[in-house]
């Protein structure tokens, strides 16, 4: 009976996993539109993609790196299936009376180079984000302040810094692989910096809500994992 209970999955964890996958897939669709924030031009994926990093932070904070690793690979698999099915549908000739092929192709006809860059950047950025969260939480445990604001300060620091490192890794991989020799190389630094700044700002604005979600989840599931002696191998999914 104990072994059976140990294999139960939290409803909250499952819900976060579903939301994580939905955000990744939605970001793929929204990436096809360019939007402007003042003088900065970005893709509309910026609206939803940072939410995946927030969920990454919540899961890593509550359940630890192992569950986050499972979540990242699950998100990767669902995103890959979405892109694959979209590419197959895009390749099949449309009906003779249908005139929406051009618009359909703009959304689902993701170039293999961009798709590959997106997948690699997502994996690298997400795992860096989770690793930084995990290591900073362990470090904070040994020097946690006694006052009630100690958790808020520590969590805020690791949530923001993990996003900076994760988004920086993501952007440093994605833009050169996807847009190298397509746009001038001298434009790359500004693209990377603007993406990191905007997405980190998103994290900071959402931080009060993220803290509430973390506190609620810990209280609801009675979980607060510290990754002592954890194996950070990204391929060790079953551990």
């Amino acid at each position: 009976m104990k072994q059976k209970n140990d294999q139960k999955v939290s409803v909250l964890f499952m819900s976060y996993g579903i939301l994580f996958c939905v955000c990744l897939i939605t970001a793929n669709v929204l990436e096809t539109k360019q939007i402007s924030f003042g003088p900065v031009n970005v893709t509309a994926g910026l609206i939803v993609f940072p939410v995946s990093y927030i969920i990454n932070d919540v899961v890593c904070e509550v359940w630890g790196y192992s569950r986050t690793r499972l979540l990242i690979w699950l998100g990767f698999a669902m995103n890959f299936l979405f892109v694959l099915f979209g590419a197959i549908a895009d390749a099949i000739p449309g009906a003779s009376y249908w005139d929406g092929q051009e618009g359909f192709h703009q959304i689902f006809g993701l170039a293999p180079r961009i798709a590959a860059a997106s997948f690699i950047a997502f994996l690298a950025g997400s795992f860096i984000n989770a690793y930084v969260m995990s290591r900073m939480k362990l470090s904070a445990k040994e020097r946690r302040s006694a006052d009630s604001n100690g958790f808020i300060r520590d969590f805020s620091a690791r949530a923001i810094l993990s996003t900076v490192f994760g988004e920086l890794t993501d952007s440093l991989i994605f833009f050169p692989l996807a847009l190298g020799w397509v746009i001038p190389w001298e434009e790359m630094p500004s693209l990377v910096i603007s993406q990191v700044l905007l997405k980190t700002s998103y994290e900071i604005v959402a931080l009060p809500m993220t803290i509430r979600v973390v506190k609620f989840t810990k209280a609801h599931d009675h979980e607060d994992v510290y990754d002592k002696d954890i194996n950070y191998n990204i391929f060790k999914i079953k551990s």
Side-chain angles (χ1 to χ4, degrees):
M1 179 64 71
K2 182 178 185 300
Q3 184 179 6
K4 182 179 179 180
N5 289 338
D6 286 344
Q7 294 180 3
K8 288 184 177 179
V9 176
S10 160
V11 173
L12 282 178
F13 176 76
M14 182 176 64
S15 300
Y16 295 150
I18 294 171
L19 180 59
F20 184 75
C21 294
V22 169
C23 288
L24 293 178
I25 292 171
T26 303
N28 261 349
V29 177
L30 298 184
E31 290 285 344
T32 58
K33 180 177 180 178
Q34 299 289 316
I35 59 176
S36 297
F37 286 96
V40 180
N41 297 321
V42 295
T43 64
L46 180 69
I47 297 172
V48 67
F49 186 75
V51 177
S52 65
Y53 274 79
I54 293 172
I55 298 172
N56 189 318
D57 290 346
V58 172
V59 172
C60 195
E61 174 69 22
V62 178
W63 290 286
Y65 181 86
S66 293
R67 286 283 186 93
T68 310
R69 175 170 50 201
L70 174 63
L71 184 70
I72 292 170
W73 281 113
L74 178 64
F76 174 86
M78 296 303 101
N79 204 14
F80 179 81
L81 283 176
F82 171 79
V83 172
L84 177 63
F85 290 144
I88 293 173
D90 184 51
I92 297 174
S96 58
Y97 54 83
W98 187 63
D99 59 359
Q101 179 60 34
E102 183 178 351
F104 189 91
H105 179 72
Q106 288 181 346
I107 296 175
F108 295 101
L110 196 62
R113 176 183 178 183
I114 294 178
S118 177
F119 288 139
I120 296 170
F122 162 72
L123 286 176
S126 296
F127 278 115
I128 289 293
N129 182 85
Y131 177 80
V132 173
M133 278 287 296
S134 174
R135 299 304 299 177
M136 288 187 70
K137 185 178 180 182
L138 275 177
S139 177
K141 183 180 181 181
E142 300 176 357
R143 54 176 175 74
R144 175 168 294 171
S145 305
D147 61 284
S148 59
N149 292 324
F151 162 75
I152 295 177
R153 288 198 301 268
D154 289 339
F155 176 77
S156 298
R158 56 182 173 264
I160 294 171
L161 284 177
S162 65
T163 297
V164 170
F165 282 106
E167 294 289 3
L168 181 61
T169 302
D170 184 291
S171 297
L172 285 174
I173 292 174
F174 176 77
F175 286 111
L177 288 181
L179 301 177
W181 294 283
V182 175
I183 65 172
W185 283 100
E186 57 267 23
E187 296 294 327
M188 286 289 181
S190 63
L191 276 174
V192 171
I193 293 171
S194 63
Q195 287 284 318
V196 174
L197 289 178
L198 285 172
K199 291 179 179 179
T200 303
S201 298
Y202 195 128
E203 172 86 45
I204 294 171
V205 170
L207 194 55
M209 180 59 69
T210 306
I211 292 172
R212 290 187 178 90
V213 172
V214 166
K215 287 184 174 181
F216 168 78
T217 306
K218 286 183 177 181
H220 184 276
D221 275 25
H222 307 290
E223 291 276 8
D224 191 8
V225 173
Y226 287 86
D227 292 319
K228 186 176 182 181
D229 301 322
I230 189 73
N231 187 335
Y232 286 103
N233 184 343
I234 68 172
F235 299 106
K236 204 170 181 63
I237 304 175
K238 291 184 179 181
S239 65

